[in-house]
Amino acid sequence: CLSTDKNAGRLGCFGWLLVIISLLFVALTFPITLFLCVKIVKEYERAVIFRLGRIADRKPKGPGLFFVLPCTDNFVKVDLRTVSFDIPPQEILTKDSVTVSVDGVVYFRIHCPISAVANVSNAHSSTRLLAQTTLRNVLGTKNLSELLSDREGISVSMQEALDEATDPWGIKVERVEIKDVKLPQQLQRAMAAEAEASREARAKIIAAEGEMNASRALKEAALVIGEAPSALQLRYLQTLNAIAAEKNSTIIFPLPIDMMQGFMQKK
């Protein structure tokens, strides 16, 4: 990360005079000021040095040892590790006028320490507040069905919007996730009733289709038995065999319809 300010590091004549005096002071009191001049930053940290209020170099220092002048320099440490935070539940009105409560989580890191120090007062707090407003703005353009079914697409949209907005602050938004979507109790009951009615309708349609297929199969079986009357007797014997296998003492004797028709004609 390099500074884009062309005047960075230009101290002027008076500034250089103060720097020279500071160097002479360090040289005269070297053993004493050694601990004030030598600083250490860790592998995941960088130091932005300000010399007389200006950024000293075009790039941050670290990791490891670096030197500062005790009278003219001060520095700010910046952590480059990925930081995560929860977005508090937000009451959002969707595009189809449904009020829902949505929360999420954001993962980001600082990729340009100089921009994170010089361009924004508090990078972490600003990113948190911006994530809340971005969540409201993105979800306000979605329907409830899209919110419930397309969480991945919404997360990508939020990540792109946050990354673009925080880029001047030296922040890279790595990931955004929607954690939970809470619906009002009345809407939950209405959706549950709708789903139950839909399942019942599908069950009735399936049962009706089964009855229709069964009636067609019975019609075909009746045509086959009508062509071969002995097949009915074989079917009767198979039924008796099935009843006997279950140790049932009840035996059913079918009465042919033709016999009843004969009695009816005599009457």
Side-chain angles (χ1 to χ4, degrees), residues 69-95:
L69 299 177
C71 300
T72 59
D73 294 356
N74 63 343
F75 68 96
V76 178
K77 285 185 180 181
V78 179
D79 195 330
L80 302 184
R81 292 177 293 182
T82 299
V83 179
S84 63
F85 65 89
D86 292 328
I87 302 176
Q90 304 291 313
E91 294 288 339
I92 297 170
L93 185 65
T94 60
K95 189 177 181 180

PDB file of all heavy atoms in Angstrom, residues 69-95:
ATOM      1  N   LEU A  69      12.131   8.980  15.472  1.00  0.00           N
ATOM      2  CA  LEU A  69      12.801  10.067  16.177  1.00  0.00           C
ATOM      3  C   LEU A  69      11.954  10.473  17.376  1.00  0.00           C
ATOM      4  O   LEU A  69      10.736  10.685  17.235  1.00  0.00           O
ATOM      5  CB  LEU A  69      13.011  11.256  15.245  1.00  0.00           C
ATOM      6  CG  LEU A  69      13.885  10.981  14.010  1.00  0.00           C
ATOM      7  CD1 LEU A  69      13.958  12.214  13.127  1.00  0.00           C
ATOM      8  CD2 LEU A  69      15.278  10.541  14.430  1.00  0.00           C
ATOM      9  N   PRO A  70      12.509  10.558  18.548  1.00  0.00           N
ATOM     10  CA  PRO A  70      11.712  10.772  19.763  1.00  0.00           C
ATOM     11  C   PRO A  70      11.016  12.113  19.822  1.00  0.00           C
ATOM     12  O   PRO A  70      10.004  12.251  20.494  1.00  0.00           O
ATOM     13  CB  PRO A  70      12.744  10.626  20.880  1.00  0.00           C
ATOM     14  CG  PRO A  70      14.046  10.944  20.246  1.00  0.00           C
ATOM     15  CD  PRO A  70      13.955  10.464  18.835  1.00  0.00           C
ATOM     16  N   CYS A  71      11.510  13.119  19.143  1.00  0.00           N
ATOM     17  CA  CYS A  71      10.938  14.458  19.275  1.00  0.00           C
ATOM     18  C   CYS A  71       9.962  14.818  18.166  1.00  0.00           C
ATOM     19  O   CYS A  71       9.094  15.668  18.366  1.00  0.00           O
ATOM     20  CB  CYS A  71      12.061  15.502  19.318  1.00  0.00           C
ATOM     21  SG  CYS A  71      13.217  15.272  20.682  1.00  0.00           S
ATOM     22  N   THR A  72      10.102  14.192  17.029  1.00  0.00           N
ATOM     23  CA  THR A  72       9.314  14.623  15.864  1.00  0.00           C
ATOM     24  C   THR A  72       8.376  13.553  15.325  1.00  0.00           C
ATOM     25  O   THR A  72       7.489  13.870  14.523  1.00  0.00           O
ATOM     26  CB  THR A  72      10.256  15.049  14.721  1.00  0.00           C
ATOM     27  OG1 THR A  72      11.096  13.937  14.359  1.00  0.00           O
ATOM     28  CG2 THR A  72      11.111  16.226  15.143  1.00  0.00           C
ATOM     29  N   ASP A  73       8.558  12.298  15.712  1.00  0.00           N
ATOM     30  CA  ASP A  73       7.795  11.201  15.119  1.00  0.00           C
ATOM     31  C   ASP A  73       6.799  10.614  16.122  1.00  0.00           C
ATOM     32  O   ASP A  73       7.073  10.545  17.314  1.00  0.00           O
ATOM     33  CB  ASP A  73       8.725  10.074  14.647  1.00  0.00           C
ATOM     34  CG  ASP A  73       9.616  10.507  13.499  1.00  0.00           C
ATOM     35  OD1 ASP A  73       9.458  11.635  13.025  1.00  0.00           O
ATOM     36  OD2 ASP A  73      10.488   9.705  13.089  1.00  0.00           O
ATOM     37  N   ASN A  74       5.684  10.210  15.594  1.00  0.00           N
ATOM     38  CA  ASN A  74       4.765   9.317  16.297  1.00  0.00           C
ATOM     39  C   ASN A  74       4.192   8.354  15.269  1.00  0.00           C
ATOM     40  O   ASN A  74       4.209   8.632  14.064  1.00  0.00           O
ATOM     41  CB  ASN A  74       3.662  10.080  17.027  1.00  0.00           C
ATOM     42  CG  ASN A  74       2.794  10.852  16.073  1.00  0.00           C
ATOM     43  OD1 ASN A  74       3.166  11.086  14.926  1.00  0.00           O
ATOM     44  ND2 ASN A  74       1.635  11.274  16.522  1.00  0.00           N
ATOM     45  N   PHE A  75       3.699   7.237  15.725  1.00  0.00           N
ATOM     46  CA  PHE A  75       3.255   6.210  14.781  1.00  0.00           C
ATOM     47  C   PHE A  75       1.967   5.567  15.294  1.00  0.00           C
ATOM     48  O   PHE A  75       1.637   5.634  16.480  1.00  0.00           O
ATOM     49  CB  PHE A  75       4.345   5.147  14.578  1.00  0.00           C
ATOM     50  CG  PHE A  75       4.606   4.297  15.787  1.00  0.00           C
ATOM     51  CD1 PHE A  75       4.003   3.064  15.943  1.00  0.00           C
ATOM     52  CD2 PHE A  75       5.477   4.753  16.782  1.00  0.00           C
ATOM     53  CE1 PHE A  75       4.241   2.289  17.062  1.00  0.00           C
ATOM     54  CE2 PHE A  75       5.724   3.980  17.895  1.00  0.00           C
ATOM     55  CZ  PHE A  75       5.105   2.738  18.047  1.00  0.00           C
ATOM     56  N   VAL A  76       1.260   4.940  14.328  1.00  0.00           N
ATOM     57  CA  VAL A  76       0.002   4.252  14.612  1.00  0.00           C
ATOM     58  C   VAL A  76       0.129   2.822  14.117  1.00  0.00           C
ATOM     59  O   VAL A  76       0.499   2.593  12.962  1.00  0.00           O
ATOM     60  CB  VAL A  76      -1.192   4.944  13.922  1.00  0.00           C
ATOM     61  CG1 VAL A  76      -2.490   4.184  14.203  1.00  0.00           C
ATOM     62  CG2 VAL A  76      -1.308   6.388  14.373  1.00  0.00           C
ATOM     63  N   LYS A  77      -0.164   1.857  14.991  1.00  0.00           N
ATOM     64  CA  LYS A  77      -0.147   0.456  14.610  1.00  0.00           C
ATOM     65  C   LYS A  77      -1.489   0.061  13.985  1.00  0.00           C
ATOM     66  O   LYS A  77      -2.542   0.472  14.468  1.00  0.00           O
ATOM     67  CB  LYS A  77       0.127  -0.438  15.821  1.00  0.00           C
ATOM     68  CG  LYS A  77       1.573  -0.434  16.296  1.00  0.00           C
ATOM     69  CD  LYS A  77       1.751  -1.448  17.421  1.00  0.00           C
ATOM     70  CE  LYS A  77       3.195  -1.462  17.915  1.00  0.00           C
ATOM     71  NZ  LYS A  77       3.381  -2.467  18.996  1.00  0.00           N
ATOM     72  N   VAL A  78      -1.415  -0.735  12.929  1.00  0.00           N
ATOM     73  CA  VAL A  78      -2.613  -1.202  12.226  1.00  0.00           C
ATOM     74  C   VAL A  78      -2.558  -2.717  12.151  1.00  0.00           C
ATOM     75  O   VAL A  78      -1.541  -3.282  11.728  1.00  0.00           O
ATOM     76  CB  VAL A  78      -2.703  -0.593  10.813  1.00  0.00           C
ATOM     77  CG1 VAL A  78      -3.945  -1.113  10.091  1.00  0.00           C
ATOM     78  CG2 VAL A  78      -2.726   0.921  10.880  1.00  0.00           C
ATOM     79  N   ASP A  79      -3.638  -3.355  12.562  1.00  0.00           N
ATOM     80  CA  ASP A  79      -3.739  -4.816  12.539  1.00  0.00           C
ATOM     81  C   ASP A  79      -4.284  -5.252  11.179  1.00  0.00           C
ATOM     82  O   ASP A  79      -5.344  -4.794  10.745  1.00  0.00           O
ATOM     83  CB  ASP A  79      -4.665  -5.295  13.656  1.00  0.00           C
ATOM     84  CG  ASP A  79      -4.528  -6.781  13.931  1.00  0.00           C
ATOM     85  OD1 ASP A  79      -4.215  -7.526  12.984  1.00  0.00           O
ATOM     86  OD2 ASP A  79      -4.731  -7.195  15.092  1.00  0.00           O
ATOM     87  N   LEU A  80      -3.569  -6.174  10.498  1.00  0.00           N
ATOM     88  CA  LEU A  80      -3.956  -6.618   9.167  1.00  0.00           C
ATOM     89  C   LEU A  80      -4.769  -7.916   9.181  1.00  0.00           C
ATOM     90  O   LEU A  80      -5.151  -8.410   8.115  1.00  0.00           O
ATOM     91  CB  LEU A  80      -2.708  -6.834   8.293  1.00  0.00           C
ATOM     92  CG  LEU A  80      -1.797  -5.627   8.112  1.00  0.00           C
ATOM     93  CD1 LEU A  80      -0.666  -5.975   7.155  1.00  0.00           C
ATOM     94  CD2 LEU A  80      -2.575  -4.427   7.598  1.00  0.00           C
ATOM     95  N   ARG A  81      -5.050  -8.475  10.341  1.00  0.00           N
ATOM     96  CA  ARG A  81      -5.802  -9.726  10.399  1.00  0.00           C
ATOM     97  C   ARG A  81      -7.285  -9.508  10.064  1.00  0.00           C
ATOM     98  O   ARG A  81      -7.817  -8.407  10.230  1.00  0.00           O
ATOM     99  CB  ARG A  81      -5.669 -10.347  11.795  1.00  0.00           C
ATOM    100  CG  ARG A  81      -4.273 -10.844  12.122  1.00  0.00           C
ATOM    101  CD  ARG A  81      -4.193 -11.368  13.536  1.00  0.00           C
ATOM    102  NE  ARG A  81      -4.364 -10.309  14.524  1.00  0.00           N
ATOM    103  CZ  ARG A  81      -4.304 -10.501  15.834  1.00  0.00           C
ATOM    104  NH1 ARG A  81      -4.077 -11.714  16.311  1.00  0.00           N
ATOM    105  NH2 ARG A  81      -4.474  -9.483  16.658  1.00  0.00           N
ATOM    106  N   THR A  82      -7.918 -10.582   9.624  1.00  0.00           N
ATOM    107  CA  THR A  82      -9.345 -10.521   9.289  1.00  0.00           C
ATOM    108  C   THR A  82     -10.169 -10.342  10.557  1.00  0.00           C
ATOM    109  O   THR A  82      -9.956 -11.030  11.558  1.00  0.00           O
ATOM    110  CB  THR A  82      -9.782 -11.795   8.562  1.00  0.00           C
ATOM    111  OG1 THR A  82      -9.035 -11.921   7.340  1.00  0.00           O
ATOM    112  CG2 THR A  82     -11.267 -11.757   8.231  1.00  0.00           C
ATOM    113  N   VAL A  83     -11.113  -9.414  10.496  1.00  0.00           N
ATOM    114  CA  VAL A  83     -11.973  -9.094  11.631  1.00  0.00           C
ATOM    115  C   VAL A  83     -13.409  -9.434  11.243  1.00  0.00           C
ATOM    116  O   VAL A  83     -13.832  -9.189  10.104  1.00  0.00           O
ATOM    117  CB  VAL A  83     -11.859  -7.603  12.016  1.00  0.00           C
ATOM    118  CG1 VAL A  83     -12.765  -7.273  13.188  1.00  0.00           C
ATOM    119  CG2 VAL A  83     -10.417  -7.263  12.352  1.00  0.00           C
ATOM    120  N   SER A  84     -14.148 -10.011  12.182  1.00  0.00           N
ATOM    121  CA  SER A  84     -15.562 -10.321  11.949  1.00  0.00           C
ATOM    122  C   SER A  84     -16.418  -9.608  12.992  1.00  0.00           C
ATOM    123  O   SER A  84     -15.993  -9.401  14.127  1.00  0.00           O
ATOM    124  CB  SER A  84     -15.804 -11.833  12.024  1.00  0.00           C
ATOM    125  OG  SER A  84     -15.512 -12.324  13.314  1.00  0.00           O
ATOM    126  N   PHE A  85     -17.622  -9.248  12.592  1.00  0.00           N
ATOM    127  CA  PHE A  85     -18.570  -8.635  13.524  1.00  0.00           C
ATOM    128  C   PHE A  85     -19.985  -8.969  13.078  1.00  0.00           C
ATOM    129  O   PHE A  85     -20.248  -9.237  11.904  1.00  0.00           O
ATOM    130  CB  PHE A  85     -18.382  -7.107  13.601  1.00  0.00           C
ATOM    131  CG  PHE A  85     -18.681  -6.384  12.327  1.00  0.00           C
ATOM    132  CD1 PHE A  85     -19.966  -5.938  12.033  1.00  0.00           C
ATOM    133  CD2 PHE A  85     -17.689  -6.127  11.410  1.00  0.00           C
ATOM    134  CE1 PHE A  85     -20.249  -5.262  10.864  1.00  0.00           C
ATOM    135  CE2 PHE A  85     -17.952  -5.457  10.235  1.00  0.00           C
ATOM    136  CZ  PHE A  85     -19.237  -5.020   9.965  1.00  0.00           C
ATOM    137  N   ASP A  86     -20.879  -8.987  14.051  1.00  0.00           N
ATOM    138  CA  ASP A  86     -22.296  -9.276  13.794  1.00  0.00           C
ATOM    139  C   ASP A  86     -23.041  -7.990  13.467  1.00  0.00           C
ATOM    140  O   ASP A  86     -22.853  -6.965  14.127  1.00  0.00           O
ATOM    141  CB  ASP A  86     -22.944  -9.948  15.005  1.00  0.00           C
ATOM    142  CG  ASP A  86     -22.397 -11.343  15.252  1.00  0.00           C
ATOM    143  OD1 ASP A  86     -22.044 -11.997  14.260  1.00  0.00           O
ATOM    144  OD2 ASP A  86     -22.310 -11.762  16.417  1.00  0.00           O
ATOM    145  N   ILE A  87     -23.889  -8.083  12.464  1.00  0.00           N
ATOM    146  CA  ILE A  87     -24.802  -6.982  12.166  1.00  0.00           C
ATOM    147  C   ILE A  87     -26.027  -7.144  13.063  1.00  0.00           C
ATOM    148  O   ILE A  87     -26.679  -8.188  13.030  1.00  0.00           O
ATOM    149  CB  ILE A  87     -25.224  -6.989  10.690  1.00  0.00           C
ATOM    150  CG1 ILE A  87     -23.988  -6.900   9.786  1.00  0.00           C
ATOM    151  CG2 ILE A  87     -26.173  -5.840  10.394  1.00  0.00           C
ATOM    152  CD1 ILE A  87     -24.321  -6.995   8.309  1.00  0.00           C
ATOM    153  N   PRO A  88     -26.352  -6.167  13.889  1.00  0.00           N
ATOM    154  CA  PRO A  88     -27.520  -6.314  14.773  1.00  0.00           C
ATOM    155  C   PRO A  88     -28.801  -6.516  13.957  1.00  0.00           C
ATOM    156  O   PRO A  88     -28.885  -6.114  12.788  1.00  0.00           O
ATOM    157  CB  PRO A  88     -27.559  -4.971  15.532  1.00  0.00           C
ATOM    158  CG  PRO A  88     -26.185  -4.403  15.395  1.00  0.00           C
ATOM    159  CD  PRO A  88     -25.669  -4.883  14.077  1.00  0.00           C
ATOM    160  N   PRO A  89     -29.795  -7.186  14.525  1.00  0.00           N
ATOM    161  CA  PRO A  89     -31.066  -7.391  13.795  1.00  0.00           C
ATOM    162  C   PRO A  89     -31.665  -6.066  13.335  1.00  0.00           C
ATOM    163  O   PRO A  89     -31.814  -5.131  14.117  1.00  0.00           O
ATOM    164  CB  PRO A  89     -31.960  -8.094  14.831  1.00  0.00           C
ATOM    165  CG  PRO A  89     -31.005  -8.745  15.776  1.00  0.00           C
ATOM    166  CD  PRO A  89     -29.807  -7.843  15.849  1.00  0.00           C
ATOM    167  N   GLN A  90     -32.001  -6.023  12.055  1.00  0.00           N
ATOM    168  CA  GLN A  90     -32.544  -4.816  11.448  1.00  0.00           C
ATOM    169  C   GLN A  90     -33.990  -5.061  11.016  1.00  0.00           C
ATOM    170  O   GLN A  90     -34.282  -6.058  10.344  1.00  0.00           O
ATOM    171  CB  GLN A  90     -31.709  -4.403  10.222  1.00  0.00           C
ATOM    172  CG  GLN A  90     -30.229  -4.205  10.508  1.00  0.00           C
ATOM    173  CD  GLN A  90     -29.964  -2.995  11.375  1.00  0.00           C
ATOM    174  OE1 GLN A  90     -30.502  -1.923  11.128  1.00  0.00           O
ATOM    175  NE2 GLN A  90     -29.129  -3.173  12.392  1.00  0.00           N
ATOM    176  N   GLU A  91     -34.889  -4.153  11.401  1.00  0.00           N
ATOM    177  CA  GLU A  91     -36.284  -4.210  10.951  1.00  0.00           C
ATOM    178  C   GLU A  91     -36.357  -3.613   9.546  1.00  0.00           C
ATOM    179  O   GLU A  91     -36.096  -2.424   9.347  1.00  0.00           O
ATOM    180  CB  GLU A  91     -37.191  -3.438  11.902  1.00  0.00           C
ATOM    181  CG  GLU A  91     -37.300  -4.039  13.293  1.00  0.00           C
ATOM    182  CD  GLU A  91     -38.106  -5.323  13.300  1.00  0.00           C
ATOM    183  OE1 GLU A  91     -38.900  -5.524  12.343  1.00  0.00           O
ATOM    184  OE2 GLU A  91     -37.935  -6.123  14.235  1.00  0.00           O
ATOM    185  N   ILE A  92     -36.692  -4.466   8.579  1.00  0.00           N
ATOM    186  CA  ILE A  92     -36.624  -4.070   7.167  1.00  0.00           C
ATOM    187  C   ILE A  92     -37.994  -4.275   6.527  1.00  0.00           C
ATOM    188  O   ILE A  92     -38.664  -5.294   6.776  1.00  0.00           O
ATOM    189  CB  ILE A  92     -35.552  -4.896   6.431  1.00  0.00           C
ATOM    190  CG1 ILE A  92     -34.168  -4.618   7.032  1.00  0.00           C
ATOM    191  CG2 ILE A  92     -35.543  -4.586   4.945  1.00  0.00           C
ATOM    192  CD1 ILE A  92     -33.101  -5.544   6.545  1.00  0.00           C
ATOM    193  N   LEU A  93     -38.393  -3.320   5.696  1.00  0.00           N
ATOM    194  CA  LEU A  93     -39.632  -3.419   4.917  1.00  0.00           C
ATOM    195  C   LEU A  93     -39.253  -3.859   3.508  1.00  0.00           C
ATOM    196  O   LEU A  93     -38.556  -3.146   2.790  1.00  0.00           O
ATOM    197  CB  LEU A  93     -40.359  -2.074   4.881  1.00  0.00           C
ATOM    198  CG  LEU A  93     -41.731  -2.067   4.186  1.00  0.00           C
ATOM    199  CD1 LEU A  93     -42.723  -2.932   4.947  1.00  0.00           C
ATOM    200  CD2 LEU A  93     -42.249  -0.637   4.061  1.00  0.00           C
ATOM    201  N   THR A  94     -39.690  -5.053   3.123  1.00  0.00           N
ATOM    202  CA  THR A  94     -39.336  -5.589   1.819  1.00  0.00           C
ATOM    203  C   THR A  94     -40.103  -4.875   0.709  1.00  0.00           C
ATOM    204  O   THR A  94     -40.967  -4.037   0.958  1.00  0.00           O
ATOM    205  CB  THR A  94     -39.619  -7.101   1.762  1.00  0.00           C
ATOM    206  OG1 THR A  94     -41.016  -7.316   1.989  1.00  0.00           O
ATOM    207  CG2 THR A  94     -38.820  -7.828   2.836  1.00  0.00           C
ATOM    208  N   LYS A  95     -39.801  -5.259  -0.516  1.00  0.00           N
ATOM    209  CA  LYS A  95     -40.421  -4.623  -1.676  1.00  0.00           C
ATOM    210  C   LYS A  95     -41.917  -4.874  -1.729  1.00  0.00           C
ATOM    211  O   LYS A  95     -42.674  -4.023  -2.222  1.00  0.00           O
ATOM    212  CB  LYS A  95     -39.743  -5.131  -2.959  1.00  0.00           C
ATOM    213  CG  LYS A  95     -40.136  -4.393  -4.211  1.00  0.00           C
ATOM    214  CD  LYS A  95     -39.363  -4.901  -5.412  1.00  0.00           C
ATOM    215  CE  LYS A  95     -39.738  -4.160  -6.676  1.00  0.00           C
ATOM    216  NZ  LYS A  95     -38.969  -4.677  -7.851  1.00  0.00           N
TER     217      LYS A  95
END
